[in-house]
Amino acid sequence: MLKVRNIEAGYGKLRVLRRVSLHVAEGEIVTLIGANGAGKTTLLNTIAGLLPPRGGEIRLNGADITTATPQKIVRAGCSLVPEGRQVFAPLSVEENLILGAHVRRQQEGKRALTEIEHVYDLFPVLRERRTQLAGTLSGGEQQMLAIGRALMARPRLIMLDEPSTGLAPLVVKTIFGIISRLRDEGNTVLLVEQNARAALHIADRGYVIETGRIILQGPAEDLLANRDVQRAYLGHGPANE
Ligand code: ATP
């Protein structure tokens, strides 16, 4: 579904991504793990069309989206849930969701209503709070809203940038449960996480990025069992599993 080949990207003189290649097949959860500043957000933003790549190629379902606008990329079926959630604080929950559908063509308006019901089924708490201002939601509820808003565009590939940041352990569990459910419903997920252990537990495959380079990749269970990954990203040895 997604093929990233030899992507180079950066800011001004700063070279961040160095010939990064990865792929995500339909129906997979693929996670990208790495330390602060490794380039994870830069990669997602580049795929989403928010940062023009300086080299390489990005294909979505076979179409070249390397230089496409963010709007075109959403229309092509790829939505980003950005780091820090970024919901529209002064708008209600439902208004935030409706905005998520704005990239779709007008004749699809009715389907947007169906989609809202789907989002409310996935996140019943959002239905309860549909008229509440997004800025007054808890962190976990805002994360659910950010995911729900991305789903309103009916993406085939959903990219999540550190959805667990700043959330209590129980809420993190809920969010990861929802990501698994998204995959079970036929979505494809590219998940960027600092919480490597939780991410690898729900992922099919993973990539490890270090200072802008992919240094390791493989099935999630292999990465969980890898001693270098354990030392650098899982915090404990296998005895603590
Ligand atoms: P984190 O887990 O902390 O979010 P990350 O892996 O997502 O880290 P990026 O946010 O992609 O890392 O940052 C990679 C590098 O690019 C860092 O050195 C960062 O300081 C730099 N950087 C990120 N955004 C910008 C920007 N807008 N302008 C200049 N440099 C930036």
Side-chain angles (χ1 to χ4, degrees):
M1 177 165 287
L2 176 72
K3 257 195 183 146
V4 171
R5 213 161 53 89
N6 294 333
I7 278 295
E8 297 267 339
Y11 309 91
K13 283 186 181 152
L14 182 69
R15 195 174 161 210
V16 176
L17 300 180
R18 295 155 190 267
R19 299 177 72 85
V20 168
S21 297
L22 61 76
H23 69 275
V24 184
E26 188 159 5
E28 277 190 314
I29 297 180
V30 170
T31 186
L32 176 68
I33 59 177
N36 282 118
K40 305 181 296 297
T41 297
T42 301
L43 179 60
L44 290 195
N45 287 348
T46 306
I47 297 168
L50 298 168
L51 183 71
R54 294 169 176 176
E57 190 186 56
I58 306 170
R59 285 187 172 268
L60 185 68
N61 295 312
D64 188 345
I65 56 156
T66 317
T67 56
T69 61
Q71 193 175 17
K72 264 202 164 152
I73 292 169
V74 174
R75 281 201 177 134
C78 173
S79 288
L80 171 68
V81 180
E83 192 173 16
R85 322 194 234 284
Q86 299 177 25
V87 296
F88 299 106
L91 301 184
S92 73
V93 164
E94 191 145 304
E95 285 164 342
N96 268 272
L97 291 177
I98 291 166
L99 279 175
H102 87 282
V103 291
R104 307 239 306 265
R105 312 239 185 270
Q106 272 180 344
Q107 62 265 33
E108 290 191 50
K110 266 196 188 140
R111 293 184 80 165
L113 292 179
T114 327
E115 205 54 45
I116 281 198
E117 285 309 312
H118 175 232
V119 170
Y120 285 152
D121 288 344
L122 208 54
F123 304 105
V125 69
L126 295 183
R127 180 183 275 122
E128 284 164 27
R129 294 170 184 272
R130 64 207 295 168
T131 59
Q132 188 172 328
L133 297 187
T136 64
L137 295 174
S138 72
E141 290 161 356
Q142 287 192 13
Q143 186 61 64
M144 293 179 204
L145 180 56
I147 297 172
R149 188 182 54 189
L151 290 175
M152 289 297 294
R154 279 194 291 126
R156 293 177 64 193
L157 171 68
I158 182 160
M159 303 194 292
L160 298 143
D161 196 351
E162 303 207 3
S164 77
T165 303
L167 302 180
L170 203 60
V171 183
V172 172
K173 220 173 158 192
T174 307
I175 297 289
F176 278 95
I178 285 158
I179 298 168
S180 291
R181 188 168 152 195
L182 289 178
R183 187 253 322 265
D184 296 344
E185 289 182 356
N187 296 284
T188 304
V189 179
L190 178 55
L191 171 65
V192 156
E193 259 302 331
Q194 290 228 21
N195 190 342
R197 185 182 300 277
L200 287 170
H201 273 297
I202 62 163
D204 300 291
R205 290 188 303 112
Y207 292 83
V208 179
I209 184 167
E210 236 175 62
T211 54
R213 284 193 178 87
I214 301 289
I215 56 149
L216 210 58
Q217 57 178 294
E221 62 264 29
D222 291 3
L223 294 179
L224 275 168
N226 181 297
R227 283 193 175 277
D228 293 335
V229 173
Q230 286 171 357
R231 237 189 326 262
Y233 300 105
L234 303 179
H236 313 279
N240 296 322
E241 266 290 303

